[in-house]
Structures are given as structure tokens and as C-alpha cells.
Amino acid sequence: MTVSKPRASDGFFDDVNYYFDQASRYTDVPSDVLAQIRMCNGVYRIRFPVVRDDGKIAVIEAYRAEHSHHRLPTKGGIRYAMDVSQDEVMALAALMTYKCAVVDVPFGGAKGGVRVDPRRASASFLQRLTRRYTSELIRKRFIGPDVDVPAPDVGTGAREMGWIYDTYKSQGPDTLNALACVTGKAMSLHGVAGREEATGVGAVIALQHFLSEPEDMKPLGLTPGLSGKRVIVQGLGKVGYHAAREVIRQGGSVVGVSVSDGALYDPDGLEVDAVFDHRRESGSLVGFPRAQVLANPDEVLEKPCEILIPAALEHQITRDNAPRLQAKVIVEGANGPVDPKADAMLREAGLAIVPDIYANAGGVVVSYFEWIKNLSHVSFERMTRRYQQIANDRLLGVLTRLTGRTLPPKDEALLLHAPTEIDFVRTALENTLAISYKRIRTRWKEQALPDLRTSAYASAIEKVGDAYVLDGIFP
Ligand code: NAD
């Protein structure tokens, strides 16, 4: 059964601007600059024909929104779903602007959407559609390494990014840097190690930062750290699957997961890889051993847990289900999963929310690394790895000579480890999220702001505002 939830408000973009307005009161950005920041600078709405597998023509509706050009290129995923709309891409593009600012990624925000159900379309149809959509974006300069760089979102992945790259390489104005026209590409197409899991892993890194402060845990009645905590993950796609795996890797227990047509709950903890394999092989969660199967995926959100990671879609937690949540902490793996009415109710009830513009920023951080790698045409470890190996080897030699002792094999292996691309990407991601968390938490406490979301928005608004004020406004 697929359950479609009514939205608390029809305006997702209004919701983002509601959070913006709340937070802007705590900044000293002038009101005329605020008015410019909160608008969506440009939306390209297209309808184009794609030949279906039966030879007939399907008319496809698609969008690309560029919310802010204060930094270029703009950046944001492309969503394939039947309910994409202009309002949705504008909201998601705005979130990208603020997210990039929170984690110091020098991009403006953008988002694309194509009205298609990728589960019902054949690969060849999707390829024709993706190539046509890309060529429409090229025609209007809504794609390019220096103007607007898409990435995967709901319903798209490395395969679609490969088609986009290939189309741009064939038709785009810039062949030298064509690789940097899109991120989230496969490794064989010069993607970057760690991009696929970056958003999910980043959400758990964000959670760990939140859980690390004893002072913040006290009002929630929680002990610091993830170890032993029960986590429910909504959505088992690119974000949710990797978040769930990372929760387990870091000592938490995933007691519930949901997908669009069902959910599983097991208070003793689910083996996420086994759940994933079971669904892939059988096409459903039904029949997964031991766990309770729930036909309505929304039910799992209300099961006992300490932490809830909504990682599916926007507007999943509304005033209708907010009072029934049992979690103490919500980590927004998805964009906009908690609407403003639910946000206020949850805050009142003492829950804490790690907001989307920080919690799911891991994806755009690593996309930024991929873009840099593609523009420099060299992988991160290529120029240093062998040198690092030699240097480590020399250090080990000196240590052994001076002490007259050999290191235990485990320590020797640690010392001799030469970094690969994933080491650079992962540590740079961790560093970025640590710095950003420190900044938004400090502001939250020092200014006594209502919550982390307000702090993250205020920080982002000031950075974008600074760009307008310091760069000046053309002409
Ligand atoms: P995806 O298409 O890979 O996965 C979406 C998942 O949600 C699927 O497992 C689907 O079954 C599930 N789902 C849909 N409706 C559901 C429902 N009602 N209940 C439970 N599950 C449901 O998409 P994704 O890339 O994982 O994106 C998920 C969210 O994260 C979106 O809000 C997206 O904008 C956001 N996000 C994604 C990235 C990224 O790098 N992919 C980065 C930042 C934010």
C-alpha cells in the first residue's frame, strides 16, 4: 500500500521562508538584502516530448530552479517523481542555498525536478528523457561547471548523472571541464570515493555531534553518545540506507525502517543489509524474519525509539502525527521532513531537531570535493600517496633505529597506511561538519536562540547577506 500524506500547507517554499523569517530576526542583515536573499532568482519550466517505448510521445514537465546566484555555480539535485512542482523545486533550491552556506561550500542553491515515475519507466525511456532534459538545460545555460551543477536526489542516481555528463560532453560549450558539470557520478566516470554514502553518513556524524554534549542531553533525559540508542529510519534509499548502516557501525540499534509501501519494526534491532537484500530480492518487506511488518509505513514513525531519522520526503511529520512521536531527537536526513507547525509542537514537547540544512549537508560537501577533483583533473591522493608511503616508511625506520625495538604489527600497519581518496574525503567531510556544528551550537547557546534550526538559518543568512554586501550589487 502506498500512503500519500496530505501536506500541512501547500507551500513548501513558504515553509522554508517561514524558517528564514524566524531566523532573520536574530541577524543584522538589512531588510532589503533579506528580501533579495529569500526570493528564488530564477525558475526554468519546460515541457518537452520524449518518445515512449511503444513509439507514442509522452509530454514531460520539468523544472530547474536557481535560488541564489551570490556564489557560482549553483548546486542542487535532480528529482524524478510524479509530484514534482515549481513550488517544490523552489523550496529545495532555497534549502540548498542555506545548506551550502552552513557548511561553507561556495555555491548558490539550485534544484531540478522531472515529472516521471522512475519505477514504472524503462531504462531506455529514462535515458532519452534525461538526455533531452539535459539538452534543454544546456540551451538555456541552466547547467555547466561554472553556472549550475546538478547531482542525484529522489529517484535519480549515478546512472542518470552519467547520462547527463555524456550529453553535456557531446553538446555543452565546455569540453575541458565537462566532467564537473554534474556530481554523484560513478567512480568509473571520475566520481569521488564516498559520495554515494556521504549524505547518510553525514547525517549520523551530525547526530553524533548533537549527542556529544552532556548539557544538551540532560533535558532530553538521554546519556551522551549513540551507543545502545534505538533509531528508526524512514526511507531506505540513498540517504536512509547509508544512515541506517552508519548508525549500526557507530554502535546504535536500528529498530525500525520504512519504505514507500511498508515498514519493519524489531525492538531487538534489524540487520539493515539483510532487510535491503530481502526487499531487493522479493520486491517487498513482507516475509522478513522475526520483525513486525507494518503495511502502513507511517506507523513506524510512532514506535518507541530515542532517535528518528526521516530520510524519505518533505512534510512527513505534521501536526497530525507529531503528538504521537516517541523519539527524543529527530535528525532531518530528508529535506523539509518536519513542517513548521509540527516543528513548533515538537519543540514545545521538548524534542530536539537536528535541521536538514546541517544534517543532510554531507552530500553537497562531498559533491564539492568531486567538482574540485573534476576541475583539477586529478584524484586527491594521486600526487601524494607514494610520497606519503615513503615518508611513513622512513619514520618507522628512524623509530626502530632510535628505540632498538620493533612496533607491534597493528601499530606498524597504522603508521604505514598511505591515504587513499576515501581517507581524504571522509576526514574532510568530518572536519567540515565538526566546524559547522561548533558554529551553529555556539550561536544557539550564546544568543539563546529557540533551537539549532534557527541558529543554522541565521548563520546561513548572514553569510549570504555578507556576500551581497561585500561583493556589491551589479551594476
Ligand atoms: P531515494 O529516491 O534514493 O530514496 C527515497 C526513499 O524514500 C525510498 O526508499 C522510498 O521507498 C522511500 N519513501 C518514499 N515515500 C516514503 C514513505 N511515505 N515512507 C517511507 N519511505 C518512503 O532518495 P534519497 O536520495 O535517499 O533522498 C531522500 C531525501 O533526502 C530527500 O528529501 C532528498 O531531497 C534528501 N537529500 C538527498 C541527498 C542525496 O545526496 N541523495 C542529499 C541531501 C538531501
Side-chain angles (χ1 to χ4, degrees):
M1 181 174 70
T2 305
V3 179
S4 74
K5 204 182 308 261
R7 290 181 167 185
S9 86
D10 280 337
F12 187 11
F13 189 50
D14 285 346
D15 289 352
V16 175
N17 279 337
Y18 172 83
Y19 291 133
F20 178 98
D21 292 340
Q22 295 295 313
S24 62
R25 295 184 293 148
Y26 300 98
T27 71
D28 52 10
V29 179
S31 58
D32 53 342
V33 177
L34 289 173
Q36 163 56 32
I37 298 171
R38 79 201 282 288
M39 287 303 143
C40 185
N41 285 2
V43 185
Y44 182 32
R45 179 181 177 190
I46 336 153
R47 292 193 180 87
F48 52 80
V50 179
V51 178
R52 289 199 315 220
D53 296 340
D54 63 6
K56 292 206 163 68
I57 290 169
V59 182
I60 301 294
E61 179 159 341
Y63 302 87
R64 183 74 184 169
E66 292 178 354
H67 173 260
S68 177
H69 297 119
H70 72 289
R71 291 276 175 267
L72 287 174
T74 52
K75 186 96 189 72
I78 294 176
R79 178 172 290 194
Y80 284 3
M82 284 311 288
D83 55 0
V84 298
S85 66
Q86 181 166 331
D87 178 71
E88 185 183 66
V89 290
M90 283 163 55
L92 292 166
L95 288 173
M96 285 304 296
T97 295
Y98 308 132
K99 192 179 305 181
C100 289
V102 165
V103 289
D104 294 316
V105 166
F107 295 146
K111 203 77 177 192
V114 180
R115 197 169 282 186
V116 63
D117 182 350
R119 288 166 304 183
R120 287 168 189 266
S122 70
S124 60
F125 178 81
L126 288 172
Q127 179 166 177
R128 288 193 292 280
L129 175 150
T130 304
R131 288 183 180 280
R132 178 65 190 249
Y133 175 60
T134 309
S135 77
E136 297 289 341
L137 297 181
I138 294 168
R139 258 168 19 101
K140 297 284 182 190
R141 285 273 286 160
F142 267 74
I143 185 172
D146 55 337
V147 286
D148 189 351
V149 180
D153 192 76
V154 172
T156 59
R159 181 182 67 170
E160 287 73 18
M161 302 307 114
W163 293 332
I164 290 172
Y165 159 62
D166 188 64
T167 308
Y168 187 85
K169 186 180 66 178
S170 318
Q171 291 186 6
D174 173 6
T175 46
L176 177 65
N177 291 315
L179 273 172
C181 81
V182 65
T183 60
K185 302 180 293 295
M187 282 305 288
S188 53
L189 272 185
H190 306 272
V192 75
R195 172 60 184 90
E196 196 188 313
E197 65 269 30
T199 311
V201 168
V204 180
I205 295 173
L207 169 64
Q208 286 280 37
H209 282 299
F210 177 73
L211 295 177
S212 69
E213 299 286 347
E215 180 195 331
D216 301 340
M217 293 303 99
K218 231 180 181 174
L220 299 169
L222 296 177
T223 53
L226 183 54
S227 181
K229 296 211 166 52
R230 295 169 300 171
V231 182
I232 290 175
V233 181
Q234 183 197 36
L236 216 47
K238 296 182 292 299
V239 179
Y241 170 63
H242 289 290
R245 292 185 87 205
E246 190 63 15
V247 162
I248 294 171
R249 208 181 69 79
Q250 298 203 22
S253 171
V254 175
V255 294
V257 293
S258 64
V259 293
S260 56
D261 54 1
L264 292 176
Y265 183 75
D266 182 349
D268 295 329
L270 293 158
E271 237 195 84
V272 171
D273 278 321
V275 173
F276 191 80
D277 292 344
H278 175 85
R279 182 164 191 252
R280 197 184 44 209
E281 280 152 26
S282 70
S284 137
L285 296 177
V286 175
F288 187 77
R290 289 184 307 278
Q292 183 188 357
V293 180
L294 306 165
N296 178 353
D298 296 353
E299 271 181 47
V300 80
L301 305 180
E302 299 164 20
K303 292 283 184 187
C305 66
E306 281 75 44
I307 295 148
L308 175 61
I309 307 182
L313 292 167
E314 59 268 20
H315 290 153
Q316 294 302 299
I317 298 168
T318 65
R319 64 179 164 188
D320 297 333
N321 60 357
R324 296 192 299 274
L325 300 190
Q326 300 195 48
K328 300 269 171 55
V329 182
I330 296 177
V331 182
E332 294 185 327
N335 285 311
V338 179
D339 79 8
K341 289 192 184 86
D343 184 81
M345 289 167 79
L346 294 170
R347 193 157 8 104
E348 184 98 337
L351 271 82
I353 299 179
V354 186
D356 48 9
I357 58 172
Y358 170 66
N360 69 40
V364 77
V365 170
V366 176
S367 272
Y368 170 45
F369 302 153
E370 182 175 336
W371 181 76
I372 293 170
K373 173 182 173 177
N374 293 156
L375 288 177
S376 52
H377 298 268
V378 66
S379 64
F380 288 107
E381 85 291 4
R382 183 144 182 190
M383 301 304 290
T384 54
R385 186 154 199 263
R386 183 70 189 125
Y387 181 78
Q388 184 83 55
Q389 260 172 346
I390 293 167
N392 292 356
D393 211 25
R394 282 188 195 136
L395 184 65
L396 184 65
V398 172
L399 267 177
T400 312
R401 201 176 67 245
L402 291 181
T403 61
R405 296 165 67 178
T406 50
L407 283 182
K410 221 170 134 196
D411 293 331
E412 188 176 312
L414 261 183
L415 193 61
L416 290 183
H417 174 74
T420 56
E421 186 167 85
I422 188 70
D423 296 314
F424 288 114
V425 166
R426 187 59 69 83
T427 50
L429 172 64
E430 286 167 5
N431 189 44
T432 303
L433 292 177
I435 291 169
S436 304
Y437 188 73
K438 190 158 182 230
R439 187 166 46 225
I440 61 174
R441 182 180 182 275
T442 303
R443 186 179 193 135
W444 171 32
K445 298 290 159 183
E446 284 183 359
Q447 269 188 278
L449 298 177
D451 56 8
L452 268 174
R453 191 191 310 277
T454 309
S455 175
Y457 266 85
S459 161
I461 292 165
E462 271 176 6
K463 285 189 206 168
V464 181
D466 274 354
Y468 277 111
V469 172
L470 298 175
D471 295 7
I473 293 191
F474 178 82

